[in-house]
């Protein structure tokens, strides 16, 4: 089973839920940090990294000896990543989406592919928790291909948790799609609710069952709860604001490890998600 | 004309609340919301929308069933596996590269331009505002950010406004890169948590990469004063000005619930005083005083 933990708004506590859930569950669990722009899971999980890989995406390389300036590559590229200027062929690797169109269309076989670095993929573990994350290279614009590489680390069996990036655009979709359940972490404020509604729409498009976790549940107002009820989306857990929790978070601590009562609540959360997922699967 | 772009790296550090407060303090400015994926600034500014325009993103492949012979060329060529065995394109997976369109021997694939969102020109109590809404599950956020910032500049020129305050997106990817280029000054709102520091460092590196002047504002500084000192030390080593510390204050949330900026909600409180100090420190940084 794959559970993604997402949120429209950033900073609502996605990583807190993902990490505390991972360390609470007894038995094998995998945690994939797909927030490759700002991966934070490792700061809390503190895994031992066993493998580091540089991840690249293919971009064109031109053999000017073979090129006869037919400009077919320039015409096919929808991303303006290749331009034929006089005798020269200029490539703009940072604009390239790696579709391979130019290479396929070149009648002279003058185009091959080389790699543009997207970032790194690191894999490791901490106790029973298998861990992988991607870290987008600074200056690299495209997160989704790196996110897909992190997703490729998904183990066949057992439970996989995914920490998704914030928002509702392509990086989030790449992190959430084809998962079995989405936990949307929110806070009961106008910003929280506004962004939650957008996230719900995204999850609906992907047709994945979902539930809410309300963090800092005693600040703000009651509108998130009213919305959940109107939409028929279950509230799986509420975590009241506690300055102590906020401070221990600031130090990179996992509160489920220090407080057995929270550990028990996270185990219950995992069980509830499993029940809801099975119910969803039965309906299909 | 000057443009201040507010970033944070990590979400939820108080970026948008501070942006709105700065707008109140600036008195005359143009507001630009470049967080097109999860725009929240309008919840505090209640803009009156004067003009709404569709945002044309890229193309999306559509197979015309009548013309398709099922040769499978498109499936083989699509690197996103966006075309199913039934020769139907999954719009969410389609990257819009158009390769299938060009290689289909039957010319059976259309490539209509998608409307990926809307952008708006509005009025607020602080002046005009340019903002946008990227469609759910859409791509091209960077392109929309570039458009919104371009329109903001154009409008500021038209209205004779000297200052643009831009609320940037979280992260360091495509929309953030589109937000920082050409900014007069980037303000990174950092929080003194391990993740806040980690993400601030990445946002700082991004600004260095694109050679944009940057300053740091520490929000919720009293949550962890050791980490606050650590941020100040990091900034010092990088020769980045720290424009101030703002305490953790639940008033921010109360103001947000009322749809107000903190300056309007509790202008005489201690957080408001700190925001005023931060704002004048930003205006007095070398980046803001030397350029034009
Ligand atoms: S346009 Fe590109 S991504 Fe979309 S279906 Fe065709 S080949 Fe695949
Ligand atoms: S390449 Fe054209 S004809 Fe062949 S399967 Fe695809 S759409 Fe049909």
């Amino acid at each position: 089973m794959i559970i993604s933990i997402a949120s429209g708004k950033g900073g609502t506590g996605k990583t807190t839920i993902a990490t505390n859930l991972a360390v609470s569950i007894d038995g094998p669990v995998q945690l994939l940090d797909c927030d490759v722009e700002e991966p934070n899971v490792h700061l809390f999980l503190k895994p031992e990294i066993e493998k580091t890989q540089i991840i690249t995406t293919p971009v064109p390389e031109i053999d000017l000896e073979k090129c006869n300036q037919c400009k077919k590559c320039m015409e096919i590229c929808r991303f303006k990543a290749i331009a034929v200027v006089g005798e020269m062929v200029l490539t703009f690797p940072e604009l390239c989406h790696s579709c391979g169109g130019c290479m396929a269309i070149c009648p002279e076989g003058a185009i091959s592919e080389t790699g543009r670095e997207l970032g790194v993929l690191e894999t490791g573990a901490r106790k029973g928790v298998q861990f992988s994350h991607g870290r987008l290279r600074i200056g690299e614009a495209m997160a989704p291909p790196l996110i897909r590489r992190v997703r490729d680390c998904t183990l066949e069996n057992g439970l996989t948790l995914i920490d998704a990036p914030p928002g509702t655009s392509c990086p989030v979709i790449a992190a959430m799609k084809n998962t079995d359940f989405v936990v949307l972490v929110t806070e009961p404020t106008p910003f929280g609710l506004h962004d939650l509604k957008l996230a719900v729409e995204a999850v609906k498009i992907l047709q994945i069952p979902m539930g809410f976790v309300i963090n800092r549940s005693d600040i703000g107002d009651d509108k998130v709860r009213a919305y959940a009820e109107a939409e028929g989306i279950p509230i799986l857990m509420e975590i009241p604001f506690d300055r102590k929790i906020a401070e221990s978070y600031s130090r990179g601590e996992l509160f489920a490890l220090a407080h057995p009562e929270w550990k028990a609540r996270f185990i219950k959360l995992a069980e509830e998600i499993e029940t809801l997922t099975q119910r969803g699967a039965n309906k299909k | 004309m000057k443009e201040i772009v507010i970033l944070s790296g990590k979400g939820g550090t108080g970026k948008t609340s501070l942006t709105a407060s700065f707008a109140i303090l600036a008195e005359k400015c143009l507001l630009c919301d470049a967080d097109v994926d999860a725009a929240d600034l309008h919840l505090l500014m209640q803009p009156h929308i004067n003009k709404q325009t569709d945002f044309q993103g890229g193309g999306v492949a559509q197979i015309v069933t009548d013309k398709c012979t099922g040769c499978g060329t498109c499936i083989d060529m699509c690197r996103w596996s966006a075309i199913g065995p039934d020769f139907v394109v999954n719009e969410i997976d389609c990257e819009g590269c158009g390769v299938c369109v060009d290689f289909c021997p039957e010319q059976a694939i259309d490539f209509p331009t998608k409307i990926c969102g809307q952008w708006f020109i509005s009025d607020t109590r602080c002046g005009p505002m340019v903002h946008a809404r990227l469609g759910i599950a859409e791509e091209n956020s960077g392109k929309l950010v570039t458009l919104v910032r371009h329109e903001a500049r154009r409008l500021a020129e038209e209205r004779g406004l000297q200052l643009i305050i831009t609320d940037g997106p979280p992260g360091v990817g495509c929309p953030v890169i589109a937000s920082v280029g050409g900014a007069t000054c980037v303000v990174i709102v950092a929080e003194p948590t391990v993740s806040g520091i980690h993400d601030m460092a990445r946002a700082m590196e991004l600004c260095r990469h694109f050679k944009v002047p940057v300053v740091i504002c520490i929000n919720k500084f009293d949550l962890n004063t050791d980490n606050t000192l650590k941020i100040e030390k990091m900034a010092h080593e990088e020769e980045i000005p720290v424009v101030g510390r703002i305490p953790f204050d639940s008033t921010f949330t109360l103001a947000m619930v009322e749809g107000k900026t903190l300056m309007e909600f509790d202008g005489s409180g201690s957080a408001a005083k700190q925001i005023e100090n931060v704002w004048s420190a930003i205006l007095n940084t070398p980046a803001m005083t030397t350029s034009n």
Side-chain angles (χ1 to χ4, degrees):
Chain A
M1 182 166 77
I2 310 176
I3 303 172
S4 41
I5 295 121
S7 71
K9 180 176 176 329
T12 55
K14 238 173 348 83
T15 305
T16 304
I17 300 301
T19 48
N20 281 290
L21 189 56
V23 297
S24 296
I25 294 165
D26 299 307
V29 55
Q30 182 187 30
L31 178 50
L32 303 179
D33 191 349
C34 286
D35 189 356
V36 301
E37 293 182 44
E38 302 291 13
N40 288 157
V41 165
H42 67 284
L43 300 169
F44 299 89
L45 190 67
K46 305 182 181 78
E48 224 162 289
I49 299 298
E50 287 143 17
K51 196 172 148 207
T52 303
Q53 259 176 287
I54 290 179
I55 303 298
T56 61
T57 188
V59 294
E61 190 167 56
I62 319 296
D63 182 348
L64 284 175
E65 300 273 300
K66 291 188 186 157
C67 169
N68 65 6
Q69 291 87 33
C70 75
K71 297 196 176 157
K72 290 213 163 77
C73 53
M74 185 171 161
E75 283 154 17
I76 197 174
C77 182
R78 262 82 180 179
F79 306 108
K80 302 191 176 71
I82 193 161
V84 182
V85 187
E87 300 271 285
M88 285 299 296
V89 183
L90 304 175
T91 60
F92 304 95
E94 68 282 8
L95 298 178
C96 174
H97 286 229
S98 309
C99 68
C102 54
M103 187 171 70
I105 204 136
C106 177
E108 307 302 321
I111 304 184
S112 58
E113 286 183 320
T114 170
R116 173 183 90 228
E117 186 188 336
L118 291 170
V120 295
L121 175 67
E122 293 182 311
T123 300
R126 165 176 161 162
K127 292 192 184 125
V129 185
Q130 292 296 314
F131 165 80
S132 299
H133 75 174
R135 199 179 327 111
L136 194 69
R137 175 178 60 82
I138 295 292
E140 170 61 48
M142 294 170 203
L146 183 56
I147 293 172
R148 286 190 279 269
R149 293 299 291 271
V150 180
R151 290 283 308 267
D152 288 344
C153 298
T154 307
L155 300 171
E156 284 286 330
N157 298 308
L159 177 65
T160 299
L161 304 176
I162 290 176
D163 190 358
T168 62
S169 63
C170 44
V172 194
I173 301 301
M176 292 195 308
K177 70 175 260 211
N178 299 329
T179 64
D180 302 301
F181 193 89
V182 179
V183 177
L184 291 175
V185 185
T186 186
E187 57 182 36
T189 63
F191 287 6
L193 176 62
H194 176 264
D195 298 352
L196 176 68
K197 287 182 181 169
L198 301 175
V200 166
E201 291 313 310
V203 180
K204 280 188 188 164
I205 291 175
L206 297 173
Q207 298 176 318
I208 307 172
M210 65 183 127
F212 296 160
V213 167
I214 307 183
N215 198 8
R216 298 185 271 269
S217 56
D218 48 351
I219 65 166
D221 55 26
D222 260 330
K223 294 195 176 123
V224 166
R225 286 180 199 89
Y227 171 70
E229 202 179 316
E231 287 282 324
I233 297 170
I235 295 172
L236 306 169
M237 188 184 219
E238 297 202 18
I239 306 175
F241 178 76
D242 179 343
R243 194 162 169 128
K244 284 224 175 60
I245 292 182
E247 286 173 3
S248 88
Y249 170 87
S250 78
R251 294 187 294 267
E253 293 163 6
L254 293 169
F255 62 96
L257 291 181
H259 303 280
E261 69 277 16
W262 276 108
K263 180 175 163 142
R265 289 191 63 186
F266 277 108
I267 292 174
K268 228 183 113 233
L269 173 66
E271 287 167 358
E272 209 175 326
I273 292 170
E274 197 161 340
T275 315
L276 286 168
T277 310
Q278 272 158 6
R279 212 182 289 159
N282 290 344
K283 250 194 270 173
K284 277 180 203 164
Chain B
M1 190 185 315
K2 292 179 170 137
E3 184 188 13
I4 299 175
V5 178
I6 325 286
L7 291 185
S8 63
K10 182 178 179 314
T13 63
K15 184 171 54 63
T16 302
S17 288
L18 285 175
T19 303
S21 289
F22 293 157
I24 297 285
L25 290 167
E27 283 171 13
K28 261 181 89 178
C29 71
L30 186 138
L31 268 169
C32 173
D33 193 348
D35 190 359
V36 298
D37 188 9
D40 284 333
L41 190 59
H42 65 281
L43 297 171
L44 298 180
M45 301 318 298
Q46 296 88 25
H48 174 82
I49 295 173
N50 295 321
K51 190 174 160 223
Q52 173 173 339
T53 313
D54 283 340
F55 164 58
Q56 311 275 350
V60 61
Q62 266 171 15
I63 297 180
V64 182
T65 320
D66 287 353
K67 292 192 196 162
C68 170
T69 58
C71 72
T73 306
C74 54
I75 296 180
D76 292 343
M77 299 215 63
C78 177
R79 287 193 172 175
W80 286 270
S81 312
I83 305 170
D86 50 354
F87 305 106
V88 173
V89 177
N90 179 340
E91 286 210 7
I92 292 199
D93 289 338
C94 174
E95 182 84 2
C97 71
V99 168
C100 57
V101 179
D102 287 283
F103 280 91
C104 170
E106 311 297 329
Q107 270 112 49
I109 309 183
D110 288 343
F111 199 59
T113 305
K114 264 203 297 190
I115 293 173
C116 290
Q118 279 81 38
W119 62 275
F120 315 96
I121 291 182
S122 303
D123 276 314
T124 74
R125 57 192 182 281
C126 296
M129 173 163 163
V130 181
H131 48 129
R133 170 71 217 134
L134 187 70
I136 307 280
E138 289 296 359
E139 313 190 352
N140 287 303
S141 57
K143 205 169 147 190
L144 181 54
V145 169
T146 304
L147 178 100
V148 164
R149 284 185 70 214
H150 178 83
E151 289 298 326
R153 256 171 204 270
R154 198 190 50 74
L155 189 65
E157 244 161 59
E158 196 181 293
R159 306 262 178 109
L161 293 164
Q162 296 305 314
L163 179 66
I164 299 173
I165 303 180
T166 300
D167 190 9
V172 292
C174 148
V176 185
I177 291 174
S179 297
V180 299
T184 316
C185 179
V186 168
V187 178
I188 299 177
V189 180
E191 64 173 38
T193 61
V194 287
S195 43
I197 294 177
H198 175 269
D199 298 353
M200 169 198 80
R202 284 173 63 78
M204 263 161 56
E205 204 182 323
L206 184 87
C207 293
R208 198 183 320 127
H209 185 93
F210 290 104
K211 301 190 173 59
V212 187
V214 50
V215 302
I216 288 168
C217 165
I218 308 174
N219 196 14
K220 312 179 201 175
F221 84 89
D222 49 343
L223 263 190
N224 187 326
T225 43
D226 288 344
N227 280 340
T228 292
L229 290 172
K230 201 165 161 189
I231 293 175
E232 287 169 347
K233 191 162 162 263
M234 283 167 78
H236 184 77
E237 278 162 11
E238 301 270 340
E239 294 178 26
I240 291 174
V242 175
V243 289
R245 297 169 160 194
I246 298 166
F248 178 84
D249 196 330
S250 53
T251 321
F252 276 105
T253 308
L254 300 175
M256 192 201 289
V257 170
E258 299 257 308
K260 286 181 180 158
T261 68
L262 188 99
M263 305 314 295
E264 295 160 304
F265 184 79
D266 181 21
S268 53
S270 65
K273 284 272 151 353
Q274 284 311 313
I275 297 174
E276 274 176 37
N277 293 341
V278 165
W279 180 241
S280 60
I282 293 171
L283 296 181
N284 285 314
T285 51
M288 291 300 290
T289 49
T290 50
S291 70
N292 42 42

